[in-house]
């Protein structure tokens, strides 16, 4: 499709091409029940993933003592951030009523990012499959036995490979090394040096590429396919990754209940999640819709230079279009979000579930990072701060107000909750944090 046809299909693409910040409401969204008709995955699959993570908890607790306080369950806290809410309303005129909370996947144990959900789940699923096939384990066993030298010896014959811009490689790499797998992470040119160093320190082989993410993925997949003992983690199509992320929703329901935050027809919940290839925000959204149905409204946020999911959804072309096709570079300061082409699988699932998308300029990510430090003394990596574009811009925009009206939410906003999904940050080394704090872009 040429650019004129694209912008006729969806006018927002003209602004995206100019690297403007945009707000897009998904015209294809339906009610939850209709969206589920004919779906490949369901609540049963999410329950199955949650049960698998529970089986592995004794093993995780053994290998990663920092998970002991949750009994080997890797979960993050949900933190009310009223001071940030005040700051946003004052500084940006956000007009945000109700309450603002931060889901701190930035502080998830082991990998320090949202990837600790999908990436780790996928490695564990593959581990269980291999162990079952070889008669080394059955469902009723204490999975703590996977930490024995014999088991590690068995898994060391197998290889796991993945292409990554950073955080996915960290979660896959660290967990694979803990099981005993030989791990190779194929990293694109934009991956940060400290992430490569950290992985190498855990015994992970890091292969570096001059080119971008898709090249790293392509080569990693080829090398893995040539080796019968190797398993490739496919960030673009993996159902396992997706389901690992989806489990977050069930855990969140418990945390909201503990904090007496109601989510129902009278108490809408808005959720804002940074998006790269789409697996993490897509999986989380899929889970949230299954738990909260029509009461939850999910929005993705992408950088203005790499809005791949928005381009795929707004054009209707899904993964058949890349941001480079409309003249964008795909390059951004937002680690993990520098993706030019979205997951076709996730785009298909989100078509009827997602409420909309926002884009954000790189410069704002550093501002929001400093805002959160000032207001709440919480550090996030810049890419994770993309989540704040949602609460800052949505309610203050004509598009957002129209959405509220069309969904019958006027009059309910004072009892609404807004969740900014903080996707990464706790592993960022001190000297890099200092650098970020003093980064100002145009
Ligand atoms: C990977 C990542 C995301 C987005 O996840 P995708 O599955 O690529 O969409 C968001 N934030 C951070 C910090 C990430 O590392």
């Amino acid at each position: 499709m040429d650019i004129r046809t694209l912008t006729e299909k969806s006018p927002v693409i003209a602004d995206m091409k100019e690297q403007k910040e945009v707000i897009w409401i998904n015209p294809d969204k339906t009610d939850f029940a209709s969206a589920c008709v004919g779906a490949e995955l369901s609540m049963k699959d999410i329950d199955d993933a949650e049960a698998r993570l529970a089986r592995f908890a004794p093993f995780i607790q053994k290998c990663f003592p920092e998970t002991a306080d949750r009994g080997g369950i890797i979960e993050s806290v949900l933190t009310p951030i009223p001071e940030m809410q005040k700051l946003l309303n004052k500084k940006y005129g956000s007009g945000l009523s109700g309450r603002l909370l931060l889901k701190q996947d930035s502080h998830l144990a082991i990998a320090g990012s949202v990837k600790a959900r999908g990436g780790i789940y996928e490695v564990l699923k593959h581990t269980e499959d291999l162990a079952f096939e070889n008669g080394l384990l059955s469902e009723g066993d204490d999975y703590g036995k996977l930490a024995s030298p014999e088991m590690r010896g068995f898994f060391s014959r197998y290889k796991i490979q993945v292409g990554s811009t950073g955080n996915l490689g960290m979660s896959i790499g660290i967990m694979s090394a803990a099981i005993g797998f030989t791990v190779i992470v194929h990293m694109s040119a934009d991956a940060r040096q400290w992430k490569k160093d950290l992985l190498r320190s855990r015994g992970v082989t890091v292969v570096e590429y001059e080119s971008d993410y898709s090249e790293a993925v392509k080569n990693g997949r080829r090398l893995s396919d040539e080796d019968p003992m190797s398993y490739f983690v496919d960030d673009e199509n993996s159902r396992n990754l997706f389901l690992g992320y989806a489990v977050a929703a069930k855990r969140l329901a418990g945390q909201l209940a503990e904090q007496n935050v109601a989510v129902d027809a009278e108490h809408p919940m808005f959720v804002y999640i940074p998006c790269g290839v789409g697996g993490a925000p897509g999986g989380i959204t899929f889970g949230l819709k299954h738990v909260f149905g029509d009461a939850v409204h999910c929005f993705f946020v992408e950088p203005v230079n790499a809005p791949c999911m928005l381009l795929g959804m707004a054009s209707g072309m899904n993964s058949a279009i890349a941001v480079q096709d409309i003249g964008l570079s795909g390059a951004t300061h937002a680690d993990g979000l520098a993706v030019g082409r979205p997951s076709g699988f996730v785009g298909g699932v989100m078509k009827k579930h997602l409420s909309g998308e926002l884009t954000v300029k790189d410069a704002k990510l550093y501002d929001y990072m400093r805002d959160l430090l000032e207001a709440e003394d919480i550090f996030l990596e810049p890419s994770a701060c993309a989540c704040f574009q949602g609460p800052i811009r949505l309610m203050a925009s004509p598009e957002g107000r129209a959405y509220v009206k069309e969904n019958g939410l006027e009059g309910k906003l004072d009892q609404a909750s807004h969740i900014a999904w903080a996707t990464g940050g706790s592993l960022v080394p001190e000297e890099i944090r200092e650098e970020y704090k003093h980064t100002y872009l145009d």
Side-chain angles (χ1 to χ4, degrees):
M1 255 190 247
D2 61 27
I3 192 75
R4 179 182 300 170
T5 321
L6 282 170
T7 52
E8 271 166 20
K9 164 104 180 80
S10 184
V12 76
I13 296 173
D15 285 340
M16 289 165 67
K17 188 175 161 43
E18 302 300 318
Q19 300 165 44
K20 288 187 184 149
E21 290 186 342
V22 300
I23 300 177
W24 174 79
I25 302 298
N26 179 9
D28 297 320
K29 176 177 176 276
T30 64
D31 62 274
F32 174 65
S34 312
C36 291
V37 175
E40 176 191 333
L41 301 171
S42 70
M43 193 65 176
K44 199 169 129 289
D45 300 293
I46 305 173
D47 291 341
D48 177 60
E50 186 186 33
R52 183 164 293 102
L53 288 167
R55 290 198 290 277
F56 272 97
F59 167 78
I60 292 174
Q61 185 173 344
K62 237 180 203 172
C63 294
F64 300 96
E66 69 267 33
T67 64
D69 55 346
R70 283 197 167 81
I73 295 293
I74 302 165
E75 192 44 74
S76 69
V77 292
L78 175 68
T79 312
I81 47 171
E83 296 307 317
M84 182 67 166
Q85 185 168 359
K86 278 182 213 154
L87 184 152
L88 299 185
N89 281 338
K90 192 160 163 230
K91 183 167 171 185
Y92 302 101
S94 303
L96 199 68
S97 55
R99 51 180 139 181
L100 179 63
L101 300 112
L102 190 70
K103 183 58 180 153
Q104 286 185 262
D105 280 7
S106 47
H107 293 69
L108 276 172
I110 302 176
S113 84
V114 68
K115 304 294 192 310
R117 299 187 183 278
I120 286 176
Y121 176 73
E122 171 126 25
V123 172
L124 298 179
K125 170 82 169 72
H126 181 57
T127 300
E128 194 183 59
D129 289 346
L130 282 176
F132 283 1
E133 277 162 29
N134 289 276
L136 297 172
L137 193 69
S138 58
E139 263 196 34
D141 287 353
D142 174 355
Y143 280 30
K145 77 182 202 185
L146 287 165
S148 72
E150 298 74 39
M151 287 284 201
R152 290 186 58 82
F154 168 79
F155 288 110
S156 69
R157 293 162 35 217
Y158 294 90
K159 226 181 253 169
I160 292 199
Q161 307 198 48
V162 63
S164 173
T165 61
N167 286 343
L168 183 65
M170 300 238 285
S171 83
I172 303 265
I174 294 170
M175 186 49 77
S176 300
I179 298 281
F181 288 115
T182 303
V183 213
I184 304 175
V185 177
H186 301 267
M187 281 183 138
S188 47
D190 53 317
R192 307 269 169 172
Q193 190 59 42
W194 69 266
K195 293 186 180 176
K196 298 175 196 167
D197 296 343
L198 190 147
L199 278 173
R200 289 190 171 117
S201 78
R202 303 288 178 106
V204 174
T205 301
V206 177
V207 183
E208 300 180 51
Y209 293 83
E210 295 289 324
S211 51
D212 72 354
Y213 174 68
S214 50
E215 200 56 34
V217 170
K218 206 161 89 190
N219 204 50
R221 187 195 312 271
R222 185 180 56 76
L223 290 172
S224 185
D225 288 349
E226 284 168 1
D227 180 350
M229 297 300 275
S230 178
Y231 178 82
F232 186 72
V233 177
D234 180 351
D235 198 13
E236 286 173 13
N237 296 294
S238 170
R239 273 57 171 171
N240 290 329
L241 271 177
F242 188 80
L243 290 169
Y245 290 121
V247 171
K250 301 190 71 178
R251 310 252 181 88
L252 183 73
Q255 294 180 325
L256 288 166
E258 271 169 30
Q259 298 188 28
N260 294 315
V261 179
V263 182
D264 53 39
E266 294 309 310
H267 301 82
M269 177 165 78
F270 295 83
V271 182
Y272 311 96
I273 321 172
C275 177
V277 76
I284 292 168
T285 294
F286 183 76
L288 290 171
K289 294 304 288 188
H290 277 77
V291 173
F292 301 104
D294 294 320
V296 65
H297 306 269
C298 299
F299 293 84
F300 292 175
V301 187
E302 294 182 283
V304 291
N305 282 313
C308 64
M309 186 60 72
L310 174 53
L311 182 61
M313 292 187 77
S315 66
M317 291 177 73
N318 203 354
S319 58
I321 190 165
V323 300
Q324 287 79 9
D325 297 335
I326 61 164
L328 296 174
S329 67
T332 163
H333 280 236
D335 278 27
L337 309 189
V339 183
R341 189 183 296 279
S343 158
F345 159 61
V346 174
V349 181
M350 286 301 105
K351 188 175 165 79
K352 294 184 177 173
H353 286 302
L354 192 67
S355 292
E357 281 233 23
L358 300 96
T359 60
V360 61
K361 292 195 168 148
D362 280 10
K364 300 262 185 79
L365 302 177
Y366 293 97
D367 293 341
Y368 300 164
M369 188 199 77
R370 284 181 285 266
D371 291 336
L372 185 69
L373 270 171
E374 179 192 321
E376 306 280 350
D377 197 23
I378 297 172
F379 174 83
L380 302 182
E381 61 183 288
S383 50
C385 294
C387 67
F388 292 116
Q389 184 77 349
I392 289 174
R393 295 280 297 120
L394 189 68
M395 293 303 156
S397 70
E399 295 88 344
R401 283 194 296 271
Y403 179 88
V404 164
K405 197 165 173 204
E406 269 162 37
N407 285 273
L409 303 174
E410 281 171 316
K412 298 180 184 172
L413 293 179
D414 286 345
Q415 59 240 28
S417 52
H418 297 267
I419 302 211
W421 209 284
T423 46
S426 65
L427 292 190
V428 177
E430 196 49 51
E431 65 275 18
I432 310 284
R433 292 183 190 209
E434 281 308 311
E435 188 188 308
Y436 286 163
K437 283 181 205 167
H438 299 100
T439 300
Y440 293 85
L441 306 175
D442 293 333

